[in-house]
Amino acid sequence: MQQSAVPDLAHTQTRPIHWVATATAVAGVVALSSLVQPGSATAAQSAPAAKGRSAAAAVAPPDTAGVRFPLDCGPVKAVVVKKATGDLDGDGRPETVAVVHCDAPMGTPPDGVYVLTRSADGGKSRVVATLVEPKERLTVTDFALRARAVSATLLGYSSDAVPSCCPDVKTPASWRWNGSAFLRSTPAGTRSV
């Protein structure tokens, strides 16, 4: 048997002290990481200001509280179930898109999707566009606002004979501002549930 030219190294065999040292180092890293945290995340990212212009003051997005949605709920109230904010028309002021339905005690009330804005002076929020009418009997899922477009999945019914509990048509849809109106597009591959 040939002897190794390298002498035996002490660290080739683990001893309890090695495990204690490793555990202490890991505990130190965990403890330190709980003390050092990154800053808070925000949904909006600031864009660099254009040269020669001062940055505009941040404008608060329209609030849904107190808005009268064009929705007939009878004795129950309208409820905002989802909302998202962003600059949909590129004017530098955010809009709010709200998914709203009647607060029905049972069943699946249809959703309406509304775009809210407010005047440049920060006045009251108001509805400026309806993307989905409640009379269409649709339920909105996978709702998002990205890259100046609103997207959602619409669950609906192939006929009036289909019970309200069980939509049988699933349609992806998106809306984008074209300068004068929101245009709806439906990607290829619309499918039934």
Side-chain angles (χ1 to χ4, degrees), residues 65-144:
V67 173
R68 299 202 74 186
F69 293 99
L71 183 65
D72 182 17
C73 291
V76 298
K77 63 181 182 168
V79 177
V80 176
V81 292
K82 299 172 188 166
K83 66 181 177 178
T85 61
D87 185 7
L88 294 172
D89 57 4
D91 67 353
R93 293 185 316 222
E95 286 78 33
T96 297
V97 182
V99 178
V100 183
H101 65 231
C102 296
D103 192 14
M106 59 185 189
T108 307
D111 291 324
V113 179
Y114 306 101
V115 178
L116 303 161
T117 192
R118 66 172 63 197
S119 59
D121 63 359
K124 293 180 93 174
S125 301
R126 67 186 194 289
V127 175
V128 293
T130 301
L131 305 181
V132 174
E133 290 276 357
K135 67 182 177 187
E136 296 176 64
R137 293 182 58 211
L138 298 172
T139 300
V140 178
T141 63
D142 301 328
F143 172 72

Coordinates of all heavy atoms in Angstrom, one line a residue, residues 65-144:
A65 N -64.9 54.4 -2.4 CA -65.9 54.8 -1.4 C -66.7 56.0 -1.8 O -66.2 57.0 -2.4 CB -65.1 55.1 -0.1
G66 N -68.0 55.8 -1.7 CA -69.0 56.9 -2.0 C -69.3 57.0 -3.5 O -70.1 57.9 -3.9
V67 N -68.8 56.2 -4.3 CA -69.1 56.2 -5.8 C -70.4 55.5 -6.0 O -70.7 54.4 -5.5 CB -68.0 55.6 -6.6 CG1 -68.4 55.5 -8.1 CG2 -66.7 56.3 -6.4
R68 N -71.3 56.1 -6.8 CA -72.6 55.5 -7.2 C -72.3 54.8 -8.5 O -72.2 55.4 -9.5 CB -73.6 56.5 -7.3 CG -73.9 57.3 -6.0 CD -75.2 57.9 -6.0 NE -76.1 56.8 -5.7 CZ -77.4 57.0 -5.8 NH1 -77.9 58.1 -6.0 NH2 -78.2 55.9 -5.6
F69 N -72.2 53.4 -8.4 CA -72.0 52.6 -9.6 C -73.4 52.4 -10.3 O -74.4 52.3 -9.7 CB -71.4 51.3 -9.2 CG -70.1 51.4 -8.6 CD1 -69.8 51.4 -7.3 CD2 -69.0 51.5 -9.5 CE1 -68.6 51.5 -6.7 CE2 -67.7 51.6 -9.0 CZ -67.5 51.6 -7.6
P70 N -73.3 52.4 -11.7 CA -74.6 52.2 -12.4 C -75.0 50.7 -12.3 O -75.0 49.9 -13.3 CB -74.1 52.5 -13.8 CG -72.7 52.3 -13.9 CD -72.2 52.6 -12.5
L71 N -75.5 50.4 -11.2 CA -75.9 49.0 -10.8 C -77.1 49.0 -10.0 O -77.2 49.7 -9.0 CB -74.7 48.4 -10.0 CG -74.7 46.9 -9.6 CD1 -74.7 46.0 -10.9 CD2 -73.5 46.6 -8.8
D72 N -78.2 48.3 -10.4 CA -79.5 48.3 -9.7 C -79.5 47.1 -8.7 O -79.6 46.0 -9.2 CB -80.6 48.2 -10.7 CG -82.0 48.3 -10.0 OD1 -82.0 48.7 -8.8 OD2 -83.0 47.9 -10.6
C73 N -79.3 47.4 -7.5 CA -79.2 46.4 -6.4 C -80.5 46.3 -5.6 O -80.5 45.5 -4.7 CB -78.0 46.6 -5.5 SG -76.4 46.4 -6.4
G74 N -81.5 47.1 -5.9 CA -82.7 47.1 -5.1 C -82.4 47.4 -3.6 O -81.7 48.4 -3.3
P75 N -82.9 46.6 -2.7 CA -82.7 46.9 -1.3 C -81.3 46.6 -0.7 O -81.0 47.0 0.4 CB -83.7 46.0 -0.6 CG -83.9 44.8 -1.5 CD -83.7 45.4 -2.9
V76 N -80.5 45.9 -1.5 CA -79.1 45.6 -1.0 C -78.1 46.6 -1.6 O -78.4 47.3 -2.5 CB -78.7 44.1 -1.3 CG1 -79.6 43.1 -0.6 CG2 -78.6 43.9 -2.7
K77 N -76.9 46.7 -1.0 CA -76.0 47.6 -1.5 C -75.0 47.0 -2.5 O -74.9 45.8 -2.5 CB -75.2 48.2 -0.3 CG -74.4 47.2 0.5 CD -73.6 47.9 1.6 CE -72.8 46.8 2.3 NZ -71.9 47.4 3.3
A78 N -74.3 47.9 -3.2 CA -73.3 47.4 -4.2 C -72.0 47.2 -3.4 O -71.7 48.0 -2.5 CB -73.1 48.4 -5.3
V79 N -71.2 46.2 -3.7 CA -70.0 45.8 -3.0 C -68.9 45.8 -4.0 O -69.0 45.1 -5.0 CB -70.1 44.5 -2.3 CG1 -68.8 44.1 -1.6 CG2 -71.2 44.5 -1.3
V80 N -67.8 46.5 -3.7 CA -66.5 46.4 -4.5 C -65.8 45.1 -4.1 O -65.4 45.0 -2.9 CB -65.7 47.6 -4.4 CG1 -64.4 47.5 -5.1 CG2 -66.4 48.9 -4.8
V81 N -65.7 44.1 -4.9 CA -65.0 42.9 -4.6 C -63.6 42.8 -5.0 O -62.8 42.1 -4.4 CB -65.8 41.6 -5.1 CG1 -67.2 41.5 -4.4 CG2 -66.0 41.7 -6.6
K82 N -63.2 43.6 -6.0 CA -61.8 43.6 -6.4 C -61.6 45.0 -7.0 O -62.4 45.6 -7.6 CB -61.5 42.6 -7.5 CG -61.7 41.1 -7.1 CD -61.6 40.2 -8.3 CE -62.0 38.8 -7.8 NZ -62.2 37.9 -8.9
K83 N -60.3 45.5 -6.9 CA -60.0 46.7 -7.5 C -58.5 46.8 -7.8 O -57.7 46.1 -7.1 CB -60.4 47.9 -6.7 CG -59.7 48.1 -5.4 CD -60.3 49.3 -4.7 CE -59.7 49.5 -3.3 NZ -60.2 50.7 -2.6
A84 N -58.1 47.6 -8.8 CA -56.7 47.7 -9.1 C -56.5 49.2 -9.7 O -57.5 49.7 -10.2 CB -56.3 46.7 -10.2
T85 N -55.4 49.7 -9.5 CA -55.1 51.1 -9.9 C -53.9 51.1 -10.8 O -53.0 50.3 -10.7 CB -54.9 52.1 -8.8 OG1 -53.8 51.6 -8.0 CG2 -56.1 52.1 -7.9
G86 N -53.9 52.1 -11.8 CA -52.8 52.3 -12.7 C -53.2 53.3 -13.7 O -54.4 53.7 -13.8
D87 N -52.2 53.8 -14.4 CA -52.4 54.8 -15.4 C -52.8 54.1 -16.7 O -51.9 53.7 -17.5 CB -51.2 55.7 -15.6 CG -51.4 56.8 -16.6 OD1 -52.5 57.1 -17.0 OD2 -50.4 57.5 -16.9
L88 N -54.1 54.1 -17.0 CA -54.6 53.4 -18.2 C -54.5 54.2 -19.5 O -54.4 53.6 -20.6 CB -56.0 52.9 -18.0 CG -56.2 51.9 -16.9 CD1 -57.7 51.7 -16.7 CD2 -55.6 50.6 -17.3
D89 N -54.6 55.5 -19.4 CA -54.6 56.4 -20.6 C -53.3 57.1 -20.8 O -53.3 57.9 -21.8 CB -55.8 57.3 -20.5 CG -55.8 58.2 -19.3 OD1 -54.9 58.1 -18.5 OD2 -56.8 58.9 -19.1
G90 N -52.3 57.0 -20.0 CA -51.0 57.6 -20.2 C -51.0 59.1 -19.9 O -50.1 59.8 -20.3
D91 N -51.9 59.6 -19.1 CA -52.0 61.0 -18.8 C -51.2 61.3 -17.5 O -51.1 62.5 -17.1 CB -53.4 61.5 -18.7 CG -54.1 61.0 -17.5 OD1 -53.6 60.0 -16.8 OD2 -55.3 61.4 -17.2
G92 N -50.6 60.3 -16.9 CA -49.8 60.6 -15.7 C -50.6 60.5 -14.4 O -50.1 60.6 -13.3
R93 N -51.9 60.3 -14.5 CA -52.8 60.2 -13.3 C -53.4 58.8 -13.3 O -53.8 58.3 -14.3 CB -53.9 61.2 -13.4 CG -53.4 62.7 -13.2 CD -54.6 63.6 -13.2 NE -55.6 63.3 -14.2 CZ -56.2 64.1 -14.9 NH1 -56.0 65.4 -14.8 NH2 -57.1 63.7 -15.8
P94 N -53.4 58.2 -12.1 CA -53.9 56.8 -12.1 C -55.5 56.8 -12.2 O -56.2 57.7 -11.8 CB -53.5 56.3 -10.7 CG -53.4 57.6 -9.9 CD -52.9 58.7 -10.8
E95 N -55.9 55.7 -12.7 CA -57.3 55.3 -12.7 C -57.5 54.1 -11.8 O -56.6 53.4 -11.6 CB -57.8 55.0 -14.2 CG -58.0 56.2 -15.1 CD -56.7 56.7 -15.7 OE1 -55.8 55.9 -15.9 OE2 -56.6 57.9 -15.9
T96 N -58.7 53.9 -11.4 CA -59.1 52.7 -10.6 C -60.1 51.9 -11.4 O -61.0 52.4 -11.9 CB -59.7 53.1 -9.2 OG1 -58.7 53.8 -8.5 CG2 -60.1 51.9 -8.4
V97 N -59.8 50.6 -11.5 CA -60.8 49.7 -12.1 C -61.4 48.8 -11.0 O -60.6 48.2 -10.2 CB -60.1 48.8 -13.2 CG1 -61.1 47.9 -13.8 CG2 -59.4 49.7 -14.2
A98 N -62.7 48.8 -10.9 CA -63.4 48.1 -9.8 C -64.3 47.0 -10.3 O -65.0 47.3 -11.3 CB -64.1 49.1 -8.9
V99 N -64.3 45.9 -9.7 CA -65.2 44.8 -10.0 C -66.3 44.9 -8.9 O -65.9 44.8 -7.7 CB -64.6 43.4 -9.9 CG1 -65.6 42.3 -10.2 CG2 -63.4 43.3 -11.0
V100 N -67.5 45.1 -9.3 CA -68.6 45.4 -8.3 C -69.8 44.5 -8.6 O -70.1 44.2 -9.7 CB -69.0 46.9 -8.4 CG1 -70.1 47.2 -7.4 CG2 -67.9 47.8 -8.4
H101 N -70.4 44.0 -7.5 CA -71.7 43.3 -7.6 C -72.6 43.6 -6.4 O -72.2 44.2 -5.5 CB -71.6 41.8 -7.8 CG -71.0 41.0 -6.7 ND1 -69.9 40.2 -6.8 CD2 -71.3 41.0 -5.4 CE1 -69.6 39.7 -5.7 NE2 -70.4 40.1 -4.8
C102 N -73.9 43.2 -6.6 CA -74.8 43.5 -5.5 C -74.5 42.5 -4.3 O -74.1 41.3 -4.6 CB -76.2 43.3 -6.0 SG -76.7 44.5 -7.2
D103 N -74.7 43.0 -3.1 CA -74.4 42.1 -1.9 C -75.6 41.2 -1.7 O -76.3 41.4 -0.7 CB -74.1 43.0 -0.7 CG -73.6 42.3 0.5 OD1 -73.2 41.1 0.3 OD2 -73.6 42.9 1.6
A104 N -75.8 40.2 -2.6 CA -76.9 39.3 -2.5 C -76.7 38.3 -1.3 O -75.6 37.8 -1.1 CB -77.1 38.6 -3.8
P105 N -77.8 38.1 -0.6 CA -77.6 37.1 0.5 C -77.4 35.7 0.1 O -76.9 34.9 0.9 CB -78.9 37.3 1.3 CG -79.9 37.8 0.3 CD -79.1 38.6 -0.7
M106 N -77.7 35.3 -1.1 CA -77.4 34.0 -1.6 C -77.3 34.0 -3.1 O -77.7 35.0 -3.8 CB -78.4 33.0 -1.2 CG -79.8 33.3 -1.6 SD -80.9 32.1 -0.9 CE -82.4 32.4 -1.7
G107 N -76.7 33.0 -3.7 CA -76.5 32.9 -5.1 C -75.2 33.6 -5.6 O -74.4 34.0 -4.8
T108 N -75.1 33.7 -6.9 CA -73.9 34.3 -7.4 C -74.3 35.5 -8.2 O -74.8 35.4 -9.4 CB -73.2 33.3 -8.4 OG1 -72.9 32.1 -7.7 CG2 -71.9 33.9 -8.9
P109 N -74.3 36.7 -7.6 CA -74.7 37.9 -8.4 C -73.7 38.2 -9.5 O -72.5 38.0 -9.3 CB -74.7 39.0 -7.3 CG -73.7 38.5 -6.3 CD -73.8 37.0 -6.3
P110 N -74.2 38.7 -10.6 CA -73.3 39.0 -11.7 C -72.4 40.3 -11.4 O -72.8 41.1 -10.6 CB -74.2 39.4 -12.9 CG -75.5 39.8 -12.2 CD -75.6 39.0 -10.9
D111 N -71.2 40.3 -12.0 CA -70.3 41.4 -11.7 C -70.4 42.5 -12.8 O -70.8 42.2 -13.9 CB -68.8 40.9 -11.7 CG -68.5 40.0 -10.5 OD1 -69.0 40.3 -9.4 OD2 -67.7 39.0 -10.7
G112 N -70.1 43.7 -12.4 CA -69.9 44.8 -13.3 C -68.4 45.3 -13.1 O -67.9 45.2 -12.0
V113 N -67.8 45.7 -14.2 CA -66.4 46.2 -14.1 C -66.4 47.6 -14.6 O -66.9 47.9 -15.7 CB -65.4 45.4 -15.0 CG1 -64.0 45.9 -14.9 CG2 -65.5 43.9 -14.5
Y114 N -66.0 48.6 -13.7 CA -66.1 50.0 -14.0 C -64.7 50.7 -13.8 O -63.9 50.3 -13.0 CB -67.0 50.6 -13.0 CG -68.4 50.0 -13.0 CD1 -68.8 49.1 -12.0 CD2 -69.3 50.2 -14.0 CE1 -70.0 48.4 -12.0 CE2 -70.5 49.6 -14.0 CZ -70.9 48.7 -13.1 OH -72.1 48.1 -13.1
V115 N -64.5 51.7 -14.7 CA -63.2 52.5 -14.6 C -63.6 53.8 -14.0 O -64.6 54.5 -14.4 CB -62.7 52.7 -16.0 CG1 -61.4 53.6 -15.9 CG2 -62.4 51.4 -16.7
L116 N -62.8 54.1 -12.9 CA -63.0 55.4 -12.2 C -61.9 56.3 -12.4 O -60.7 55.9 -12.6 CB -63.1 55.1 -10.7 CG -64.1 54.1 -10.2 CD1 -63.8 53.6 -8.8 CD2 -65.5 54.7 -10.2
T117 N -62.2 57.6 -12.4 CA -61.2 58.6 -12.5 C -61.6 59.8 -11.6 O -62.7 59.8 -11.1 CB -61.0 59.1 -14.0 OG1 -59.8 59.9 -14.1 CG2 -62.1 59.9 -14.5
R118 N -60.7 60.7 -11.5 CA -61.0 62.0 -10.8 C -60.4 63.1 -11.6 O -59.5 62.9 -12.3 CB -60.6 62.0 -9.4 CG -59.1 61.9 -9.1 CD -58.7 62.1 -7.7 NE -59.2 61.0 -6.9 CZ -59.3 61.0 -5.6 NH1 -58.9 62.0 -4.9 NH2 -59.7 60.0 -4.9
S119 N -60.9 64.3 -11.3 CA -60.4 65.5 -12.0 C -59.0 65.8 -11.6 O -58.5 65.3 -10.6 CB -61.3 66.7 -11.8 OG -61.4 67.0 -10.4
A120 N -58.3 66.6 -12.4 CA -56.9 66.9 -12.1 C -56.7 67.6 -10.7 O -55.7 67.5 -10.1 CB -56.3 67.8 -13.2
D121 N -57.8 68.3 -10.3 CA -57.7 69.0 -9.0 C -58.0 68.1 -7.8 O -58.1 68.5 -6.7 CB -58.6 70.2 -8.9 CG -60.1 69.9 -9.1 OD1 -60.4 68.7 -9.2 OD2 -60.9 70.8 -9.1
G122 N -58.1 66.8 -8.1 CA -58.3 65.8 -7.0 C -59.8 65.7 -6.5 O -60.0 65.4 -5.4
G123 N -60.7 66.1 -7.4 CA -62.1 66.0 -7.0 C -62.6 64.6 -6.7 O -61.9 63.7 -6.6
K124 N -64.0 64.5 -6.6 CA -64.6 63.2 -6.3 C -64.4 62.2 -7.4 O -64.3 62.6 -8.6 CB -66.1 63.4 -6.1 CG -66.4 64.2 -4.8 CD -67.9 64.4 -4.7 CE -68.3 63.3 -3.8 NZ -69.7 63.3 -3.4
S125 N -64.3 61.0 -7.0 CA -64.1 59.9 -8.0 C -65.4 59.7 -8.7 O -66.5 59.9 -8.1 CB -63.8 58.6 -7.3 OG -62.6 58.7 -6.6
R126 N -65.4 59.3 -10.0 CA -66.6 59.1 -10.8 C -66.3 58.0 -11.8 O -65.2 57.8 -12.3 CB -67.0 60.4 -11.5 CG -66.1 60.9 -12.5 CD -66.6 62.2 -13.1 NE -65.9 62.6 -14.3 CZ -64.6 63.0 -14.4 NH1 -63.9 63.0 -13.4 NH2 -64.2 63.3 -15.6
V127 N -67.4 57.3 -12.2 CA -67.3 56.2 -13.2 C -67.2 56.9 -14.6 O -68.1 57.7 -14.9 CB -68.5 55.3 -13.1 CG1 -68.5 54.3 -14.2 CG2 -68.6 54.6 -11.8
V128 N -66.2 56.5 -15.4 CA -66.1 57.1 -16.7 C -66.3 56.0 -17.8 O -66.4 56.3 -19.0 CB -64.7 57.8 -16.9 CG1 -64.7 59.0 -16.1 CG2 -63.6 56.9 -16.6
A129 N -66.2 54.7 -17.4 CA -66.4 53.7 -18.4 C -66.9 52.4 -17.7 O -66.6 52.1 -16.6 CB -65.1 53.4 -19.2
T130 N -67.7 51.6 -18.5 CA -68.2 50.3 -18.0 C -67.6 49.3 -19.0 O -67.8 49.3 -20.2 CB -69.7 50.2 -18.1 OG1 -70.2 51.3 -17.2 CG2 -70.2 48.9 -17.6
L131 N -66.8 48.4 -18.4 CA -66.1 47.3 -19.2 C -67.0 46.1 -19.3 O -67.0 45.4 -20.3 CB -64.7 47.0 -18.7 CG -63.8 48.2 -18.5 CD1 -62.4 47.7 -18.0 CD2 -63.6 48.9 -19.8
V132 N -67.7 45.7 -18.2 CA -68.6 44.6 -18.2 C -69.9 45.1 -17.5 O -69.9 45.6 -16.4 CB -68.0 43.4 -17.4 CG1 -69.0 42.3 -17.2 CG2 -66.7 42.9 -18.0
E133 N -71.0 44.9 -18.2 CA -72.3 45.2 -17.7 C -72.8 44.0 -16.9 O -72.7 42.9 -17.3 CB -73.3 45.4 -18.9 CG -73.0 46.7 -19.7 CD -73.7 47.9 -19.0 OE1 -74.4 47.8 -18.0 OE2 -73.5 49.0 -19.6
P134 N -73.5 44.3 -15.7 CA -74.0 43.2 -14.9 C -75.1 42.4 -15.6 O -75.3 41.2 -15.4 CB -74.6 43.9 -13.7 CG -73.8 45.2 -13.6 CD -73.5 45.5 -15.0
K135 N -75.8 43.1 -16.6 CA -76.9 42.4 -17.3 C -76.3 41.2 -18.2 O -77.1 40.4 -18.7 CB -77.7 43.3 -18.1 CG -77.0 44.0 -19.3 CD -77.9 45.0 -20.0 CE -77.1 45.7 -21.1 NZ -77.9 46.8 -21.6
E136 N -75.0 41.2 -18.4 CA -74.3 40.1 -19.2 C -74.2 38.8 -18.4 O -73.8 37.8 -19.0 CB -72.9 40.6 -19.7 CG -73.0 41.8 -20.6 CD -71.6 42.2 -21.0 OE1 -70.8 41.4 -21.6 OE2 -71.2 43.3 -20.6
R137 N -74.6 38.9 -17.1 CA -74.5 37.7 -16.2 C -73.1 37.0 -16.1 O -73.0 35.8 -16.2 CB -75.6 36.7 -16.6 CG -77.0 37.1 -16.5 CD -77.9 36.0 -16.9 NE -77.7 34.7 -16.1 CZ -77.9 33.5 -16.6 NH1 -78.3 33.3 -17.8 NH2 -77.7 32.5 -15.9
L138 N -72.1 37.8 -16.0 CA -70.7 37.3 -15.9 C -70.1 37.4 -14.6 O -70.4 38.4 -13.8 CB -69.8 38.0 -16.9 CG -70.2 37.9 -18.4 CD1 -69.4 38.9 -19.3 CD2 -70.1 36.5 -18.9
T139 N -69.3 36.5 -14.2 CA -68.5 36.5 -13.0 C -67.0 36.8 -13.4 O -66.5 36.1 -14.3 CB -68.6 35.2 -12.2 OG1 -70.0 35.0 -11.9 CG2 -67.8 35.3 -10.9
V140 N -66.4 37.7 -12.7 CA -65.0 38.1 -13.1 C -64.0 37.4 -12.2 O -64.1 37.5 -11.0 CB -64.8 39.6 -13.0 CG1 -63.4 40.0 -13.3 CG2 -65.8 40.3 -13.9
T141 N -63.0 36.7 -12.8 CA -62.0 36.1 -12.0 C -60.6 36.5 -12.7 O -60.6 37.1 -13.7 CB -62.1 34.6 -12.0 OG1 -61.9 34.1 -13.4 CG2 -63.4 34.1 -11.4
D142 N -59.5 36.2 -12.1 CA -58.2 36.5 -12.6 C -58.1 37.9 -13.1 O -57.6 38.2 -14.1 CB -57.8 35.5 -13.7 CG -57.8 34.1 -13.3 OD1 -57.5 33.8 -12.2 OD2 -58.2 33.2 -14.2
F143 N -58.6 38.8 -12.2 CA -58.6 40.2 -12.5 C -57.2 40.9 -12.3 O -56.7 40.7 -11.2 CB -59.7 40.9 -11.7 CG -59.8 42.4 -11.7 CD1 -60.2 43.0 -12.9 CD2 -59.3 43.1 -10.7 CE1 -60.3 44.4 -12.9 CE2 -59.4 44.5 -10.7 CZ -59.9 45.1 -11.8
A144 N -56.7 41.7 -13.2 CA -55.4 42.3 -13.1 C -55.3 43.6 -14.0 O -56.0 43.7 -15.0 CB -54.3 41.4 -13.4

